[in-house]
């Protein structure tokens, strides 16, 4: 089945050279989950199909792939230690769990930023993407900034 991004691209975009993870750490189900949960609701099924068929290459490389890569890393991160037997001990310590929690917070912030960037670009250039529907994008319905809820 076609995907908007490969595991190699996810690793290249979201992991530093200092990290021990490799392409095999990202599995297809991580990409499928990230696409389904975070990206396809923003793009819509029609625009997703157009991207998979090769249309809108700039949108894909400049906006969709960075957001999707961050989403995949966010989805996969809790499972990384389990998948990398050579990299982990038998069980996680409290310090390991705290580091994971902090890393997940940072990744969630990155996901929010990059998906908002994608959504803002699509809204600003909606006329350029015939398959895109501004009304169907969930990012256009409600945003929460700390204690402030903004409904569109």
């Amino acid at each position: 089945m076609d995907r908007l991004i490969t595991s190699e691209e996810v690793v290249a975009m979201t992991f530093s050279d200092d990290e021990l993870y490799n392409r095999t750490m990202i599995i297809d189900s991580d990409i499928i989950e990230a696409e389904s949960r975070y990206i396809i609701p923003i793009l819509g099924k029609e625009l997703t199909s157009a991207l998979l068929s090769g249309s809108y290459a700039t949108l894909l490389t400049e906006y969709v792939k960075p957001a999707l890569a961050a989403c995949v890393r966010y989805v996969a991160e809790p499972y990384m230690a389990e998948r990398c037997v050579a990299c982990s001990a038998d069980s996680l310590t409290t310090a390991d769990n705290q580091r994971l929690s902090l890393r997940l917070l940072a990744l969630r912030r990155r996901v929010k930023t990059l998906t908002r960037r994608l959504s803002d670009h699509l809204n600003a250039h909606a006329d350029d993407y015939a398959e895109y529907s501004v009304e169907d994008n969930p990012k256009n319905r409600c945003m929460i900034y700390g204690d402030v809820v903004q409904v569109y």
Side-chain angles (χ1 to χ4, degrees), residues 3 5 7 10 15 22-38 68-80 83:
R3 297 278 152 244
I5 198 167
S7 55
V10 172
F15 290 92
N22 62 33
R23 185 201 68 73
T24 62
M25 298 298 289
I26 303 297
I27 58 177
D28 284 343
S29 64
D30 297 330
I31 296 171
I32 292 167
E33 181 179 352
E35 282 181 356
S36 299
R37 279 177 100 184
Y38 300 104
L68 180 54
C71 294
V72 172
R73 171 85 190 249
Y74 179 65
V75 166
E77 189 68 29
Y79 307 107
M80 292 295 193
R83 292 180 187 161

Side-chain angles (χ1 to χ4, degrees), residues 16-17 32 38 42 45-46 56 65 73 78 90 94-95 101 109 112 122-123 132 139 141 150 152:
S16 71
D17 293 337
I32 292 167
Y38 300 104
I42 294 171
K45 290 181 181 179
E46 293 81 16
Y56 311 120
K65 284 187 178 186
R73 171 85 190 249
D90 290 335
T94 302
S101 293
R109 199 170 23 250
K112 285 183 180 181
L122 288 170
N123 292 337
Y132 175 67
K139 292 273 187 189
R141 295 188 199 125
Q150 185 176 7
Y152 299 97

